[in-house]
Amino acid sequence: MSAAKPPARSPAAPSDPPRVPSGASPDPLVVRSLEFLGPMATVDGWRPTHELPEIAFAGRSNVGKSSLLNALVRRKAVARVSKTPGRTREINFFSVNDAFVLVDLPGYGYARISKTRQAEWRPLIEGFLRRSPALRG
């Protein structure tokens, strides 16, 4: 009588810990919870209230800020990504593991929007950077 084989397991079952190649260290960022807190669209507009440290992604339009954020949290569509510069038009806040907040800022430079709208981003971004005591880095 032969023993029945256990059912085959998929290589990336959600309950399995990530496989670490030999000699490599385990991933320091395991995302257990990820929550979109909301957008900040104006200088004096809504902003999340929390005591968590904030890590902001700033830079020119179309350099991959949103793609980097998605890669860090291992999700494909947390932050909106596009080939068209200027798709991030508000400051977006994401809580990670209830431990820190990632902040996706609008880019500057190549955005395909009106000069008037682009001029509105400057005080929004500068105001956020100046009035963010929880900002780290």
Side-chain angles (χ1 to χ4, degrees):
M1 189 181 220
S2 65
K5 289 173 111 180
R9 292 176 56 177
S10 66
S15 60
D16 292 345
R19 294 187 180 148
V20 179
S22 64
S25 57
D27 188 353
L29 178 60
V30 177
V31 178
R32 292 183 180 86
S33 69
L34 179 65
E35 178 185 2
F36 175 66
L37 300 176
M40 179 178 162
T42 63
V43 175
D44 298 320
W46 174 88
R47 165 175 198 142
T49 55
H50 55 77
E51 299 295 321
L52 301 174
E54 294 177 339
I55 302 165
F57 292 83
R60 294 185 70 89
S61 296
N62 217 34
V63 296
K65 296 178 298 297
S66 297
S67 295
L68 174 61
L69 191 148
N70 288 337
L72 287 173
V73 298
R74 286 162 196 74
R75 308 288 196 282
K76 291 184 179 181
V78 171
R80 183 176 178 178
V81 176
S82 173
K83 290 182 181 179
T84 304
R87 287 295 176 200
T88 303
R89 298 179 179 202
E90 301 165 327
I91 298 175
N92 294 303
F93 298 86
F94 303 90
S95 174
V96 180
N97 297 338
D98 295 320
F100 60 93
V101 174
L102 294 177
V103 184
D104 192 16
L105 298 170
Y108 52 87
Y110 300 115
R112 291 184 185 161
I113 59 167
S114 71
K115 297 288 183 191
T116 304
R117 179 67 177 136
Q118 198 169 9
E120 292 171 4
W121 287 354
R122 183 175 181 163
L124 176 67
I125 294 168
E126 288 178 356
F128 166 77
L129 294 173
R130 286 194 178 110
R131 292 180 244 163
S132 295
L135 194 59
R136 302 291 186 260

